[in-house]
Amino acid sequence: MARFDLAAMAKRVRPGTRRKAIVLRDIDPPGTLATNLYRSSYLPVVLAWAAAAERIIAAYTSTLSELTTDAPADVRAEIDGAAEQINRLVLLLTPEVRDWALRTEQLFRGKWRGAVLSATGVDLETMIGAGDVRASLETSIEWNVALVKDVSDVTRQKISNAVFDGLRNRTPAREVASTIRNSVGMSRKRATRIASDQLNKLTSALAEERRREAGIDTWIWRHSRKAHPRLNHQARDGNEYTDETAPQDLPGRLPYCGCRSQAVVTFD
Ligand SMILES: [Zn+2]
């Protein structure tokens, strides 16, 4: 998969060097990128459900007080109507997800180029582009679109459960209202975690591809320093691996893993 030999290029740029290896700067993606993804692609769905929740709560309240036989149909119609409207919104958000992925790739590529340039004196500007990592970008886009839809579907399911369970047990409206608002709050928190995880997923994939493309086989495990780490990941911090010696669960692959790989250019 190597497209060029960075070690050989580095030797040509600085022929006098006697170093056996150069560790490239660690690239820690800024958290603002996760916030941008959350705000542009997940939050609109959460906010749409928050607004719909109030209409559904109102319909539930009048259903309980009216006690007519067709009243449950009104609250069901309110939920179905909201779901239909929000499904259309999800489709409109695909370009937002795509913009985010492209901007993240561009930013990562700039940081990679900077790290390589400062460590080796080789400028990759004309040698690398977004096209090299197209498959990773498409995967990230499709994965996020599916997750936005999942956040919406799970919210809908929780609201439906609260409503129909409430109707069956004649649960007071304020109790059902609080359950519904809680569900929306949980979806908001889940979406925040997903956006942060998706940033790690995309940037760790990009790091791996950029490293392989440059013919670099050696890298150092960098632990995320996040709270509640996997202890075996924390223990790997600073360890050097090659593609042959690497553990199965590469940095950033497992759910909510924020670990990174730091490339090492080796000379033989
Ligand atoms: Zn980890």
Side-chain angles (χ1 to χ4, degrees):
M1 275 208 278
R3 287 177 49 238
F4 52 90
D5 184 347
L6 183 61
M9 290 160 73
K11 259 190 181 164
R12 281 199 295 276
V13 172
R14 292 174 187 160
T17 190
R18 287 216 198 100
R19 292 161 78 179
K20 289 240 184 298
I22 303 176
V23 179
L24 297 193
R25 198 156 65 207
D26 181 27
I27 301 171
D28 187 3
T32 48
L33 287 174
T35 311
N36 292 347
L37 174 62
Y38 168 71
R39 288 210 181 123
S40 69
S41 308
Y42 289 84
L43 187 59
V45 167
V46 175
L47 290 178
W49 273 116
E54 297 310 315
R55 297 195 299 272
I56 294 163
I57 289 166
Y60 178 86
T61 308
S62 63
T63 301
L64 264 201
S65 61
E66 282 163 21
L67 293 165
T68 57
T69 44
D70 62 341
D74 295 344
V75 67
R76 175 176 291 137
E78 201 63 68
I79 296 173
D80 290 348
E84 204 176 299
Q85 182 206 332
I86 295 167
N87 284 346
R88 280 198 299 273
L89 172 64
V90 170
L91 294 180
L92 296 176
L93 290 171
T94 305
E96 297 290 333
V97 174
R98 180 170 293 278
D99 278 357
W100 172 82
L102 293 176
R103 268 184 280 122
T104 300
E105 189 283 322
Q106 194 177 30
L107 192 129
F108 186 91
R109 181 160 25 104
K111 284 186 181 290
W112 172 252
R113 179 192 161 203
V116 168
L117 183 62
S118 71
T120 66
V122 175
D123 190 350
L124 296 178
E125 187 182 18
T126 59
M127 299 190 61
I128 59 174
D132 320 328
V133 291
R134 184 172 294 133
S136 286
L137 288 175
E138 290 307 320
T139 302
S140 173
I141 292 163
E142 278 172 36
W143 198 351
N144 275 288
V145 169
L147 283 167
V148 169
K149 182 147 193 346
D150 188 62
V151 165
S152 178
D153 291 346
V154 168
T155 313
R156 179 207 178 145
Q157 191 58 56
K158 285 189 170 165
I159 291 175
S160 292
N161 290 349
V163 163
F164 295 113
D165 195 54
L167 285 174
R168 198 182 53 194
N169 298 310
R170 315 220 43 87
T171 310
R174 68 187 141 67
E175 259 179 58
V176 169
S178 136
T179 307
I180 289 176
R181 288 185 189 123
N182 256 332
S183 303
V184 175
M186 279 164 63
S187 290
R188 185 193 280 258
K189 285 197 190 111
R190 178 174 171 235
T192 314
R193 287 196 304 273
I194 289 175
S196 153
D197 190 41
Q198 284 295 312
L199 172 63
N200 291 336
K201 292 271 189 303
L202 176 56
T203 53
S204 62
L206 293 174
E208 215 176 298
E209 285 192 85
R210 290 301 175 203
R211 177 173 64 74
R212 294 221 170 108
E213 168 186 71
I216 303 171
D217 184 46
T218 308
W219 49 276
I220 295 171
W221 192 289
R222 282 291 161 231
H223 179 250
S224 62
R225 323 225 170 271
K226 285 201 292 194
H228 319 296
R230 286 178 175 82
L231 294 180
N232 60 337
H233 282 200
Q234 197 171 31
R236 289 172 192 162
D237 190 44
N239 286 4
E240 197 175 278
Y241 296 101
T242 65
D243 288 338
E244 287 71 43
T245 63
Q248 281 277 300
D249 50 337
L250 290 170
R253 288 276 181 91
L254 292 180
Y256 305 110
C257 171
C259 298
R260 299 185 296 275
S261 63
Q262 188 176 5
V264 182
V265 184
T266 54
F267 305 99
D268 36 37

